[in-house]
Amino acid sequence: MLFVFGHQNPDTDAIASALVYASYLTRTGTPALAYRIGEMNFETPFVLQAAGIEAPPRLPELAEGTAVALVDHNETGQSVSNLAQLNVTHVVDHHKLGDLQTNTPAMLRFEPVGSCGTILLRLYREANLSVEPLEAQLMLSAILSDTLHFRSPTTTEADREAVEFLASVAGIDDVASYAMQMFAAKSDLGDTPAEQILAMDYKEFTFGEGDDAQRWGLGVTETTNPGYVLGRQDELLAAMRRLKDKEGLAGVMLSVVDILEEHNETLVASEQEAAVVLGAFGVQTEASRASLGGMISRKKQLVPALEAYFEQQG
Amino acid sequence: MLFVFGHQNPDTDAIASALVYASYLTRTGTPALAYRIGEMNFETPFVLQAAGIEAPPRLPELAEGTAVALVDHNETGQSVSNLAQLNVTHVVDHHKLGDLQTNTPAMLRFEPVGSCGTILLRLYREANLSVEPLEAQLMLSAILSDTLHFRSPTTTEADREAVEFLASVAGIDDVASYAMQMFAAKSDLGDTPAEQILAMDYKEFTFGEGDDAQRWGLGVTETTNPGYVLGRQDELLAAMRRLKDKEGLAGVMLSVVDILEEHNETLVASEQEAAVVLGAFGVQTEASRASLGGMISRKKQLVPALEAYFEQQG
């Protein structure tokens, strides 16, 4: 039995793609089950409820050598902590290839598209496997979530085409309205502690090489209600500074992305991050906040700009 | 324009798959050309001549950031020396995932099958692209070469099915006879210097971790005429020892694989390698030669056994 899971701080793509890939593998002869390796954000429970299914369970402790399939990630730092002891036999991902290595030849499927859901739909088509309405709704949700309903610059023609097909199979006539409900659910943070808001879509990256290498933490909060998040700026900054100290990070930033206006207001933990933001983006930070405009994709815009900046410095 | 190439010391899979993948990419809208990054063995010119085409040219020096596609390898040590400065946008491979990283999300296609040719045929089918007779003959040759016409334990059902289909498209009625001609061409070493025989299908591997890590060089000579190669044992051992000194390797071995008898006679450079062979395979070395029986696949048998041995030692 193959254990399928997405990254830490799972988003809808990580959860939905684990469920769909497990279903695909099982239906094509490799029994598999979906798991998660962290708490879900507020969007994913809405998606699961709309689809009428339970959340995948937490991944149990796995014995050395257990066969696992990764979706939506491949950096070991974003995966389960004992990944090096496990046997990665399958990976479906749309991120750049990081530090993963496999013990034996594996089944890897990486494509530069907006969501793992889009790659999974290709797998169904290649296998001439019918897409069930539940599978379609999950893949659809994954793509809408990761591409912010095509607003993200990571969006490709394949994502648009997949959504059109999947919506018809899932019986969702008004895709825009469904996407808005997803984003509203994600934005309904209520009295969520600042630590949890920061952790919800948070990834660490190493910039620079060798002795100059620096570990940064980059959080993103995608919301239809940026005023609510930015209204809690002081709490969030305090949480960012605590995290930075605790983890010994060189920098911590939290980008508050207004999904509808496609605008990024980024909070920075200190003057150090402000200097990097000025160098990498040419933007002045005021009162711990920098307006990064349309730079709304961490993967395609923020991280490449930071990488280029640190490469120049190195 | 995308530059497509296989590994150093290219075998028929590395050359034929580069040619076919370049053709596939070009026909599906990404103009690409095939190259090679080393001298071919004696099998590949026979294959190219049978197909009526020229060998791909040597890869020129590529400027930083040039887009490249890798076939049949992914370890940076087996690729072009300045790979880290290039932009890897595509990889098709059937080896385990090694130390490759990409700068941006890329198109990666890895499957645990006997040859890259088998994966390429899948790509044609998925794209509903007709397979031209020339492309079929090249993919067929790649699979026959890498699987030793299904004798290698790396062979999968997908390889067998692909060969049956490709032979019919290529118009090759007697596959066994064609494969024998390939293997005979490969075995016709004439007065090839011992260094060149050793280099022809040679790969380096790192065993163990951290301070205990050791770099080994493992050559394979697949032949229908093992007596000829083993008859030059003294010359070959001298070449192995020179290579070991020059490259500062911890070990050098050359496996002479009798394709027809599926038998491996391995030459070892010194007592050090003999001790490892005893530990890893339980086989005593006599007069610098160890009979490793049916262990004829470096990828699936020799390297995993050596890895397991060094892991136990570590």
Side-chain angles (χ1 to χ4, degrees), chain A residues 94 96-98 100-111 126, chain B residues 94 96-98 100-112 126:
Chain A
H94 66 129
K96 65 180 183 168
L97 180 60
L100 181 70
Q101 307 208 4
T102 66
N103 305 323
T104 52
M107 184 70 82
L108 309 189
R109 193 62 190 261
F110 286 54
E111 298 194 16
E126 289 164 11
Chain B
H94 66 128
K96 67 180 182 169
L97 179 60
L100 181 69
Q101 306 209 2
T102 65
N103 305 322
T104 52
M107 185 71 81
L108 309 189
R109 194 62 190 261
F110 286 55
E111 297 192 18
E126 290 165 9

PDB file of all heavy atoms in Angstrom, chain A residues 94 96-98 100-111 126, chain B residues 94 96-98 100-112 126:
ATOM      1  N   HIS A  94       4.670  20.394  -9.658  1.00  0.00           N
ATOM      2  CA  HIS A  94       4.799  21.501 -10.622  1.00  0.00           C
ATOM      3  C   HIS A  94       5.752  22.572 -10.105  1.00  0.00           C
ATOM      4  O   HIS A  94       5.714  23.697 -10.582  1.00  0.00           O
ATOM      5  CB  HIS A  94       3.419  22.080 -10.963  1.00  0.00           C
ATOM      6  CG  HIS A  94       2.731  22.761  -9.816  1.00  0.00           C
ATOM      7  ND1 HIS A  94       2.209  24.034  -9.904  1.00  0.00           N
ATOM      8  CD2 HIS A  94       2.464  22.347  -8.550  1.00  0.00           C
ATOM      9  CE1 HIS A  94       1.663  24.376  -8.750  1.00  0.00           C
ATOM     10  NE2 HIS A  94       1.782  23.370  -7.914  1.00  0.00           N
ATOM     11  N   LYS A  96       9.954  23.625  -9.138  1.00  0.00           N
ATOM     12  CA  LYS A  96      11.277  23.292  -9.655  1.00  0.00           C
ATOM     13  C   LYS A  96      11.847  22.103  -8.872  1.00  0.00           C
ATOM     14  O   LYS A  96      11.487  21.883  -7.717  1.00  0.00           O
ATOM     15  CB  LYS A  96      12.212  24.498  -9.571  1.00  0.00           C
ATOM     16  CG  LYS A  96      12.538  24.960  -8.167  1.00  0.00           C
ATOM     17  CD  LYS A  96      13.460  26.154  -8.237  1.00  0.00           C
ATOM     18  CE  LYS A  96      13.855  26.589  -6.838  1.00  0.00           C
ATOM     19  NZ  LYS A  96      14.947  27.558  -6.846  1.00  0.00           N
ATOM     20  N   LEU A  97      12.727  21.371  -9.523  1.00  0.00           N
ATOM     21  CA  LEU A  97      13.322  20.200  -8.880  1.00  0.00           C
ATOM     22  C   LEU A  97      14.347  20.642  -7.854  1.00  0.00           C
ATOM     23  O   LEU A  97      15.276  21.385  -8.179  1.00  0.00           O
ATOM     24  CB  LEU A  97      13.986  19.323  -9.947  1.00  0.00           C
ATOM     25  CG  LEU A  97      14.675  18.047  -9.456  1.00  0.00           C
ATOM     26  CD1 LEU A  97      13.692  17.123  -8.757  1.00  0.00           C
ATOM     27  CD2 LEU A  97      15.330  17.325 -10.631  1.00  0.00           C
ATOM     28  N   GLY A  98      14.167  20.194  -6.604  1.00  0.00           N
ATOM     29  CA  GLY A  98      15.061  20.608  -5.528  1.00  0.00           C
ATOM     30  C   GLY A  98      16.039  19.522  -5.156  1.00  0.00           C
ATOM     31  O   GLY A  98      16.673  18.931  -6.030  1.00  0.00           O
ATOM     32  N   LEU A 100      15.571  16.518  -3.758  1.00  0.00           N
ATOM     33  CA  LEU A 100      15.115  15.127  -3.644  1.00  0.00           C
ATOM     34  C   LEU A 100      16.040  14.184  -4.405  1.00  0.00           C
ATOM     35  O   LEU A 100      16.494  14.500  -5.497  1.00  0.00           O
ATOM     36  CB  LEU A 100      13.693  14.995  -4.203  1.00  0.00           C
ATOM     37  CG  LEU A 100      13.087  13.590  -4.134  1.00  0.00           C
ATOM     38  CD1 LEU A 100      12.782  13.220  -2.700  1.00  0.00           C
ATOM     39  CD2 LEU A 100      11.834  13.492  -4.985  1.00  0.00           C
ATOM     40  N   GLN A 101      16.315  13.030  -3.818  1.00  0.00           N
ATOM     41  CA  GLN A 101      16.984  11.944  -4.544  1.00  0.00           C
ATOM     42  C   GLN A 101      16.176  10.682  -4.275  1.00  0.00           C
ATOM     43  O   GLN A 101      15.516  10.582  -3.250  1.00  0.00           O
ATOM     44  CB  GLN A 101      18.428  11.773  -4.064  1.00  0.00           C
ATOM     45  CG  GLN A 101      19.228  13.082  -4.119  1.00  0.00           C
ATOM     46  CD  GLN A 101      20.724  12.879  -4.309  1.00  0.00           C
ATOM     47  OE1 GLN A 101      21.205  11.782  -4.485  1.00  0.00           O
ATOM     48  NE2 GLN A 101      21.460  13.978  -4.291  1.00  0.00           N
ATOM     49  N   THR A 102      16.204   9.728  -5.196  1.00  0.00           N
ATOM     50  CA  THR A 102      15.487   8.475  -4.962  1.00  0.00           C
ATOM     51  C   THR A 102      16.476   7.327  -4.909  1.00  0.00           C
ATOM     52  O   THR A 102      17.581   7.408  -5.464  1.00  0.00           O
ATOM     53  CB  THR A 102      14.424   8.193  -6.049  1.00  0.00           C
ATOM     54  OG1 THR A 102      15.080   7.973  -7.306  1.00  0.00           O
ATOM     55  CG2 THR A 102      13.448   9.352  -6.182  1.00  0.00           C
ATOM     56  N   ASN A 103      16.083   6.248  -4.218  1.00  0.00           N
ATOM     57  CA  ASN A 103      16.980   5.099  -4.061  1.00  0.00           C
ATOM     58  C   ASN A 103      17.010   4.225  -5.299  1.00  0.00           C
ATOM     59  O   ASN A 103      17.979   3.516  -5.545  1.00  0.00           O
ATOM     60  CB  ASN A 103      16.520   4.236  -2.880  1.00  0.00           C
ATOM     61  CG  ASN A 103      16.399   5.042  -1.612  1.00  0.00           C
ATOM     62  OD1 ASN A 103      17.206   5.931  -1.363  1.00  0.00           O
ATOM     63  ND2 ASN A 103      15.379   4.769  -0.815  1.00  0.00           N
ATOM     64  N   THR A 104      15.916   4.249  -6.033  1.00  0.00           N
ATOM     65  CA  THR A 104      15.772   3.401  -7.214  1.00  0.00           C
ATOM     66  C   THR A 104      15.045   4.220  -8.283  1.00  0.00           C
ATOM     67  O   THR A 104      14.491   5.274  -7.972  1.00  0.00           O
ATOM     68  CB  THR A 104      14.932   2.153  -6.885  1.00  0.00           C
ATOM     69  OG1 THR A 104      13.720   2.599  -6.276  1.00  0.00           O
ATOM     70  CG2 THR A 104      15.652   1.206  -5.949  1.00  0.00           C
ATOM     71  N   PRO A 105      15.059   3.760  -9.531  1.00  0.00           N
ATOM     72  CA  PRO A 105      14.296   4.485 -10.561  1.00  0.00           C
ATOM     73  C   PRO A 105      12.839   4.603 -10.131  1.00  0.00           C
ATOM     74  O   PRO A 105      12.249   3.633  -9.643  1.00  0.00           O
ATOM     75  CB  PRO A 105      14.461   3.592 -11.794  1.00  0.00           C
ATOM     76  CG  PRO A 105      15.773   2.905 -11.591  1.00  0.00           C
ATOM     77  CD  PRO A 105      15.823   2.632 -10.109  1.00  0.00           C
ATOM     78  N   ALA A 106      12.282   5.797 -10.272  1.00  0.00           N
ATOM     79  CA  ALA A 106      10.931   6.071  -9.793  1.00  0.00           C
ATOM     80  C   ALA A 106      10.088   6.644 -10.925  1.00  0.00           C
ATOM     81  O   ALA A 106      10.579   6.888 -12.023  1.00  0.00           O
ATOM     82  CB  ALA A 106      10.985   7.053  -8.635  1.00  0.00           C
ATOM     83  N   MET A 107       8.809   6.806 -10.632  1.00  0.00           N
ATOM     84  CA  MET A 107       7.874   7.397 -11.578  1.00  0.00           C
ATOM     85  C   MET A 107       7.747   8.876 -11.220  1.00  0.00           C
ATOM     86  O   MET A 107       7.129   9.228 -10.219  1.00  0.00           O
ATOM     87  CB  MET A 107       6.533   6.674 -11.411  1.00  0.00           C
ATOM     88  CG  MET A 107       5.458   7.068 -12.369  1.00  0.00           C
ATOM     89  SD  MET A 107       5.771   6.518 -14.052  1.00  0.00           S
ATOM     90  CE  MET A 107       5.197   4.804 -13.964  1.00  0.00           C
ATOM     91  N   LEU A 108       8.364   9.737 -12.012  1.00  0.00           N
ATOM     92  CA  LEU A 108       8.323  11.168 -11.722  1.00  0.00           C
ATOM     93  C   LEU A 108       7.594  11.889 -12.839  1.00  0.00           C
ATOM     94  O   LEU A 108       7.853  11.637 -14.020  1.00  0.00           O
ATOM     95  CB  LEU A 108       9.728  11.773 -11.632  1.00  0.00           C
ATOM     96  CG  LEU A 108      10.774  11.129 -10.736  1.00  0.00           C
ATOM     97  CD1 LEU A 108      11.995  12.034 -10.644  1.00  0.00           C
ATOM     98  CD2 LEU A 108      10.230  10.857  -9.355  1.00  0.00           C
ATOM     99  N   ARG A 109       6.719  12.791 -12.438  1.00  0.00           N
ATOM    100  CA  ARG A 109       5.959  13.537 -13.428  1.00  0.00           C
ATOM    101  C   ARG A 109       5.915  14.995 -12.994  1.00  0.00           C
ATOM    102  O   ARG A 109       5.154  15.353 -12.106  1.00  0.00           O
ATOM    103  CB  ARG A 109       4.553  12.924 -13.488  1.00  0.00           C
ATOM    104  CG  ARG A 109       3.750  13.354 -14.648  1.00  0.00           C
ATOM    105  CD  ARG A 109       4.422  12.925 -15.944  1.00  0.00           C
ATOM    106  NE  ARG A 109       3.738  13.558 -17.043  1.00  0.00           N
ATOM    107  CZ  ARG A 109       2.816  12.968 -17.789  1.00  0.00           C
ATOM    108  NH1 ARG A 109       2.483  11.710 -17.589  1.00  0.00           N
ATOM    109  NH2 ARG A 109       2.215  13.622 -18.742  1.00  0.00           N
ATOM    110  N   PHE A 110       6.795  15.799 -13.570  1.00  0.00           N
ATOM    111  CA  PHE A 110       6.846  17.237 -13.273  1.00  0.00           C
ATOM    112  C   PHE A 110       6.451  17.986 -14.541  1.00  0.00           C
ATOM    113  O   PHE A 110       6.972  17.691 -15.618  1.00  0.00           O
ATOM    114  CB  PHE A 110       8.267  17.681 -12.901  1.00  0.00           C
ATOM    115  CG  PHE A 110       8.749  17.274 -11.538  1.00  0.00           C
ATOM    116  CD1 PHE A 110       8.737  15.957 -11.123  1.00  0.00           C
ATOM    117  CD2 PHE A 110       9.253  18.227 -10.668  1.00  0.00           C
ATOM    118  CE1 PHE A 110       9.226  15.587  -9.869  1.00  0.00           C
ATOM    119  CE2 PHE A 110       9.748  17.877  -9.409  1.00  0.00           C
ATOM    120  CZ  PHE A 110       9.725  16.554  -9.014  1.00  0.00           C
ATOM    121  N   GLU A 111       5.578  18.972 -14.399  1.00  0.00           N
ATOM    122  CA  GLU A 111       5.276  19.845 -15.539  1.00  0.00           C
ATOM    123  C   GLU A 111       5.153  21.280 -15.046  1.00  0.00           C
ATOM    124  O   GLU A 111       4.661  21.518 -13.946  1.00  0.00           O
ATOM    125  CB  GLU A 111       3.976  19.404 -16.232  1.00  0.00           C
ATOM    126  CG  GLU A 111       4.073  18.008 -16.810  1.00  0.00           C
ATOM    127  CD  GLU A 111       2.943  17.678 -17.767  1.00  0.00           C
ATOM    128  OE1 GLU A 111       2.249  18.597 -18.236  1.00  0.00           O
ATOM    129  OE2 GLU A 111       2.760  16.481 -18.045  1.00  0.00           O
ATOM    130  N   GLU A 126      -4.228  10.081 -20.262  1.00  0.00           N
ATOM    131  CA  GLU A 126      -3.248   9.182 -20.863  1.00  0.00           C
ATOM    132  C   GLU A 126      -3.605   7.723 -20.590  1.00  0.00           C
ATOM    133  O   GLU A 126      -3.330   6.849 -21.407  1.00  0.00           O
ATOM    134  CB  GLU A 126      -1.855   9.491 -20.313  1.00  0.00           C
ATOM    135  CG  GLU A 126      -1.309  10.806 -20.830  1.00  0.00           C
ATOM    136  CD  GLU A 126      -0.134  11.326 -20.018  1.00  0.00           C
ATOM    137  OE1 GLU A 126       0.379  10.566 -19.177  1.00  0.00           O
ATOM    138  OE2 GLU A 126       0.258  12.475 -20.231  1.00  0.00           O
TER     139      GLU A 126
ATOM    140  N   HIS B  94      15.328   7.066 -17.072  1.00  0.00           N
ATOM    141  CA  HIS B  94      14.848   5.851 -16.405  1.00  0.00           C
ATOM    142  C   HIS B  94      15.814   5.411 -15.303  1.00  0.00           C
ATOM    143  O   HIS B  94      15.776   4.258 -14.888  1.00  0.00           O
ATOM    144  CB  HIS B  94      14.602   4.728 -17.432  1.00  0.00           C
ATOM    145  CG  HIS B  94      15.846   4.227 -18.118  1.00  0.00           C
ATOM    146  ND1 HIS B  94      16.177   2.897 -18.165  1.00  0.00           N
ATOM    147  CD2 HIS B  94      16.836   4.875 -18.762  1.00  0.00           C
ATOM    148  CE1 HIS B  94      17.310   2.754 -18.831  1.00  0.00           C
ATOM    149  NE2 HIS B  94      17.721   3.934 -19.220  1.00  0.00           N
ATOM    150  N   LYS B  96      17.517   6.345 -11.313  1.00  0.00           N
ATOM    151  CA  LYS B  96      17.060   6.969 -10.075  1.00  0.00           C
ATOM    152  C   LYS B  96      17.403   8.453 -10.097  1.00  0.00           C
ATOM    153  O   LYS B  96      18.348   8.874 -10.761  1.00  0.00           O
ATOM    154  CB  LYS B  96      17.676   6.269  -8.868  1.00  0.00           C
ATOM    155  CG  LYS B  96      19.171   6.432  -8.738  1.00  0.00           C
ATOM    156  CD  LYS B  96      19.662   5.698  -7.500  1.00  0.00           C
ATOM    157  CE  LYS B  96      21.160   5.890  -7.334  1.00  0.00           C
ATOM    158  NZ  LYS B  96      21.613   5.427  -6.027  1.00  0.00           N
ATOM    159  N   LEU B  97      16.630   9.229  -9.354  1.00  0.00           N
ATOM    160  CA  LEU B  97      16.845  10.666  -9.308  1.00  0.00           C
ATOM    161  C   LEU B  97      18.062  10.964  -8.452  1.00  0.00           C
ATOM    162  O   LEU B  97      18.128  10.560  -7.286  1.00  0.00           O
ATOM    163  CB  LEU B  97      15.604  11.354  -8.732  1.00  0.00           C
ATOM    164  CG  LEU B  97      15.660  12.874  -8.589  1.00  0.00           C
ATOM    165  CD1 LEU B  97      15.871  13.546  -9.943  1.00  0.00           C
ATOM    166  CD2 LEU B  97      14.379  13.382  -7.941  1.00  0.00           C
ATOM    167  N   GLY B  98      19.028  11.684  -9.039  1.00  0.00           N
ATOM    168  CA  GLY B  98      20.268  11.980  -8.323  1.00  0.00           C
ATOM    169  C   GLY B  98      20.315  13.415  -7.848  1.00  0.00           C
ATOM    170  O   GLY B  98      19.356  13.911  -7.268  1.00  0.00           O
ATOM    171  N   LEU B 100      20.479  16.322  -9.518  1.00  0.00           N
ATOM    172  CA  LEU B 100      20.022  17.398 -10.396  1.00  0.00           C
ATOM    173  C   LEU B 100      19.062  18.330  -9.658  1.00  0.00           C
ATOM    174  O   LEU B 100      18.218  17.876  -8.885  1.00  0.00           O
ATOM    175  CB  LEU B 100      19.297  16.806 -11.618  1.00  0.00           C
ATOM    176  CG  LEU B 100      18.785  17.837 -12.626  1.00  0.00           C
ATOM    177  CD1 LEU B 100      19.939  18.518 -13.336  1.00  0.00           C
ATOM    178  CD2 LEU B 100      17.845  17.200 -13.627  1.00  0.00           C
ATOM    179  N   GLN B 101      19.205  19.630  -9.880  1.00  0.00           N
ATOM    180  CA  GLN B 101      18.205  20.595  -9.430  1.00  0.00           C
ATOM    181  C   GLN B 101      17.901  21.486 -10.634  1.00  0.00           C
ATOM    182  O   GLN B 101      18.741  21.645 -11.508  1.00  0.00           O
ATOM    183  CB  GLN B 101      18.742  21.421  -8.263  1.00  0.00           C
ATOM    184  CG  GLN B 101      19.260  20.560  -7.105  1.00  0.00           C
ATOM    185  CD  GLN B 101      19.147  21.221  -5.738  1.00  0.00           C
ATOM    186  OE1 GLN B 101      18.642  22.322  -5.608  1.00  0.00           O
ATOM    187  NE2 GLN B 101      19.624  20.538  -4.715  1.00  0.00           N
ATOM    188  N   THR B 102      16.709  22.042 -10.698  1.00  0.00           N
ATOM    189  CA  THR B 102      16.395  22.950 -11.806  1.00  0.00           C
ATOM    190  C   THR B 102      16.133  24.347 -11.256  1.00  0.00           C
ATOM    191  O   THR B 102      15.757  24.507 -10.095  1.00  0.00           O
ATOM    192  CB  THR B 102      15.175  22.474 -12.621  1.00  0.00           C
ATOM    193  OG1 THR B 102      14.002  22.522 -11.799  1.00  0.00           O
ATOM    194  CG2 THR B 102      15.379  21.063 -13.128  1.00  0.00           C
ATOM    195  N   ASN B 103      16.330  25.366 -12.103  1.00  0.00           N
ATOM    196  CA  ASN B 103      16.143  26.757 -11.673  1.00  0.00           C
ATOM    197  C   ASN B 103      14.677  27.147 -11.635  1.00  0.00           C
ATOM    198  O   ASN B 103      14.284  28.050 -10.904  1.00  0.00           O
ATOM    199  CB  ASN B 103      16.859  27.705 -12.638  1.00  0.00           C
ATOM    200  CG  ASN B 103      18.321  27.350 -12.788  1.00  0.00           C
ATOM    201  OD1 ASN B 103      18.956  26.961 -11.815  1.00  0.00           O
ATOM    202  ND2 ASN B 103      18.851  27.443 -13.989  1.00  0.00           N
ATOM    203  N   THR B 104      13.899  26.499 -12.480  1.00  0.00           N
ATOM    204  CA  THR B 104      12.483  26.828 -12.596  1.00  0.00           C
ATOM    205  C   THR B 104      11.722  25.510 -12.770  1.00  0.00           C
ATOM    206  O   THR B 104      12.331  24.474 -13.026  1.00  0.00           O
ATOM    207  CB  THR B 104      12.242  27.703 -13.843  1.00  0.00           C
ATOM    208  OG1 THR B 104      12.820  27.051 -14.962  1.00  0.00           O
ATOM    209  CG2 THR B 104      12.857  29.092 -13.678  1.00  0.00           C
ATOM    210  N   PRO B 105      10.396  25.534 -12.619  1.00  0.00           N
ATOM    211  CA  PRO B 105       9.636  24.306 -12.869  1.00  0.00           C
ATOM    212  C   PRO B 105       9.922  23.789 -14.277  1.00  0.00           C
ATOM    213  O   PRO B 105       9.955  24.560 -15.231  1.00  0.00           O
ATOM    214  CB  PRO B 105       8.177  24.768 -12.719  1.00  0.00           C
ATOM    215  CG  PRO B 105       8.253  25.912 -11.762  1.00  0.00           C
ATOM    216  CD  PRO B 105       9.528  26.629 -12.130  1.00  0.00           C
ATOM    217  N   ALA B 106      10.166  22.503 -14.388  1.00  0.00           N
ATOM    218  CA  ALA B 106      10.571  21.913 -15.666  1.00  0.00           C
ATOM    219  C   ALA B 106       9.657  20.751 -16.019  1.00  0.00           C
ATOM    220  O   ALA B 106       8.786  20.369 -15.236  1.00  0.00           O
ATOM    221  CB  ALA B 106      12.019  21.432 -15.572  1.00  0.00           C
ATOM    222  N   MET B 107       9.851  20.223 -17.218  1.00  0.00           N
ATOM    223  CA  MET B 107       9.102  19.062 -17.687  1.00  0.00           C
ATOM    224  C   MET B 107       9.969  17.833 -17.427  1.00  0.00           C
ATOM    225  O   MET B 107      10.949  17.610 -18.126  1.00  0.00           O
ATOM    226  CB  MET B 107       8.847  19.251 -19.183  1.00  0.00           C
ATOM    227  CG  MET B 107       7.989  18.221 -19.820  1.00  0.00           C
ATOM    228  SD  MET B 107       6.254  18.346 -19.327  1.00  0.00           S
ATOM    229  CE  MET B 107       5.668  19.667 -20.397  1.00  0.00           C
ATOM    230  N   LEU B 108       9.613  17.050 -16.421  1.00  0.00           N
ATOM    231  CA  LEU B 108      10.407  15.869 -16.067  1.00  0.00           C
ATOM    232  C   LEU B 108       9.570  14.634 -16.272  1.00  0.00           C
ATOM    233  O   LEU B 108       8.418  14.564 -15.849  1.00  0.00           O
ATOM    234  CB  LEU B 108      10.847  15.895 -14.605  1.00  0.00           C
ATOM    235  CG  LEU B 108      11.537  17.127 -14.048  1.00  0.00           C
ATOM    236  CD1 LEU B 108      12.077  16.824 -12.655  1.00  0.00           C
ATOM    237  CD2 LEU B 108      12.652  17.583 -14.955  1.00  0.00           C
ATOM    238  N   ARG B 109      10.183  13.638 -16.898  1.00  0.00           N
ATOM    239  CA  ARG B 109       9.473  12.410 -17.148  1.00  0.00           C
ATOM    240  C   ARG B 109      10.398  11.240 -16.835  1.00  0.00           C
ATOM    241  O   ARG B 109      11.267  10.904 -17.635  1.00  0.00           O
ATOM    242  CB  ARG B 109       9.037  12.410 -18.625  1.00  0.00           C
ATOM    243  CG  ARG B 109       8.020  11.392 -18.958  1.00  0.00           C
ATOM    244  CD  ARG B 109       6.734  11.618 -18.176  1.00  0.00           C
ATOM    245  NE  ARG B 109       5.898  10.471 -18.361  1.00  0.00           N
ATOM    246  CZ  ARG B 109       4.887  10.404 -19.229  1.00  0.00           C
ATOM    247  NH1 ARG B 109       4.567  11.450 -19.948  1.00  0.00           N
ATOM    248  NH2 ARG B 109       4.180   9.301 -19.338  1.00  0.00           N
ATOM    249  N   PHE B 110      10.240  10.672 -15.652  1.00  0.00           N
ATOM    250  CA  PHE B 110      11.044   9.527 -15.229  1.00  0.00           C
ATOM    251  C   PHE B 110      10.115   8.335 -15.073  1.00  0.00           C
ATOM    252  O   PHE B 110       9.068   8.450 -14.429  1.00  0.00           O
ATOM    253  CB  PHE B 110      11.692   9.773 -13.861  1.00  0.00           C
ATOM    254  CG  PHE B 110      12.852  10.737 -13.847  1.00  0.00           C
ATOM    255  CD1 PHE B 110      12.743  12.011 -14.353  1.00  0.00           C
ATOM    256  CD2 PHE B 110      14.057  10.353 -13.277  1.00  0.00           C
ATOM    257  CE1 PHE B 110      13.805  12.902 -14.308  1.00  0.00           C
ATOM    258  CE2 PHE B 110      15.134  11.234 -13.221  1.00  0.00           C
ATOM    259  CZ  PHE B 110      15.015  12.506 -13.743  1.00  0.00           C
ATOM    260  N   GLU B 111      10.513   7.175 -15.613  1.00  0.00           N
ATOM    261  CA  GLU B 111       9.752   5.953 -15.366  1.00  0.00           C
ATOM    262  C   GLU B 111      10.713   4.800 -15.150  1.00  0.00           C
ATOM    263  O   GLU B 111      11.784   4.742 -15.775  1.00  0.00           O
ATOM    264  CB  GLU B 111       8.812   5.642 -16.545  1.00  0.00           C
ATOM    265  CG  GLU B 111       7.771   6.720 -16.732  1.00  0.00           C
ATOM    266  CD  GLU B 111       6.652   6.326 -17.678  1.00  0.00           C
ATOM    267  OE1 GLU B 111       6.466   5.116 -17.940  1.00  0.00           O
ATOM    268  OE2 GLU B 111       5.975   7.236 -18.158  1.00  0.00           O
ATOM    269  N   PRO B 112      10.343   3.872 -14.263  1.00  0.00           N
ATOM    270  CA  PRO B 112      11.236   2.733 -13.973  1.00  0.00           C
ATOM    271  C   PRO B 112      11.104   1.645 -15.022  1.00  0.00           C
ATOM    272  O   PRO B 112      10.609   0.561 -14.748  1.00  0.00           O
ATOM    273  CB  PRO B 112      10.762   2.275 -12.591  1.00  0.00           C
ATOM    274  CG  PRO B 112       9.317   2.654 -12.541  1.00  0.00           C
ATOM    275  CD  PRO B 112       9.151   3.878 -13.411  1.00  0.00           C
ATOM    276  N   GLU B 126       0.807   9.563 -26.066  1.00  0.00           N
ATOM    277  CA  GLU B 126       0.016  10.540 -25.305  1.00  0.00           C
ATOM    278  C   GLU B 126      -0.308  11.769 -26.144  1.00  0.00           C
ATOM    279  O   GLU B 126      -1.352  12.386 -25.984  1.00  0.00           O
ATOM    280  CB  GLU B 126       0.788  10.946 -24.046  1.00  0.00           C
ATOM    281  CG  GLU B 126       0.858   9.829 -23.025  1.00  0.00           C
ATOM    282  CD  GLU B 126       1.911  10.071 -21.961  1.00  0.00           C
ATOM    283  OE1 GLU B 126       2.469  11.181 -21.933  1.00  0.00           O
ATOM    284  OE2 GLU B 126       2.159   9.163 -21.165  1.00  0.00           O
TER     285      GLU B 126
END
